[in-house]
Amino acid sequence: MQVKSRYIILFYDHSDYVLPMKQLLQHLPQPVETDCVENFQQLLDHLDNRLPDIIIVYVNNPVNGYIDHLKSLRVNNGMDEIPVYVFTDLPEKQTLIDLMN
């Protein structure tokens, strides 16, 4: 039986963050399809095309308004069912495995 892959949107604020997080996501036991976005408009564009299973926000400075944008997006567009996780440091692999379950 083939395991269904999870679709994740990775929202980041600095390009140095993308590769380590993508590598970590690709080495999870469950298959993952990832799209990366660097700003809120790119996130909106991706959400118009396909709703993710999870949104991971991996930012250096979470105070920059990302959280407010995501809160308004969830409230205004009725996307409360999509979990959003915010990390300021690269998480442990086990943390991501736990999020997928």
Side-chain angles (χ1 to χ4, degrees):
M1 184 169 107
Q2 192 174 23
V3 177
K4 182 184 175 222
S5 67
R6 301 290 298 251
Y7 176 50
I8 297 173
I9 294 181
L10 173 60
F11 188 143
Y12 64 95
D13 68 348
H14 197 282
S15 60
D16 290 343
Y17 283 176
V18 177
L19 186 57
M21 181 64 93
K22 279 182 73 173
Q23 289 174 334
L24 184 59
L25 290 169
Q26 294 306 318
H27 290 96
L28 297 177
Q30 184 173 7
V32 174
E33 182 183 344
T34 308
D35 280 325
C36 301
V37 297
E38 193 172 8
N39 60 54
F40 195 67
Q41 185 57 51
Q42 289 176 350
L43 177 63
L44 293 175
D45 293 344
H46 277 78
L47 291 174
D48 283 343
N49 293 325
R50 181 177 173 195
L51 292 179
D53 296 305
I54 298 172
I55 296 174
I56 294 177
V57 181
Y58 185 36
V59 292
N60 187 33
N61 186 359
V63 188
N64 282 347
Y66 302 108
I67 304 306
D68 291 334
H69 285 306
L70 290 168
K71 282 181 188 175
S72 68
L73 176 71
R74 292 180 79 169
V75 170
N76 296 334
N77 295 347
M79 295 183 193
D80 279 344
E81 70 278 0
I82 301 171
V84 176
Y85 300 100
V86 179
F87 296 99
T88 56
D89 292 314
L90 191 65
E92 295 290 325
K93 182 177 180 179
Q94 187 60 48
T95 301
L96 294 176
I97 292 171
D98 292 344
L99 296 179
M100 299 294 161
N101 294 329

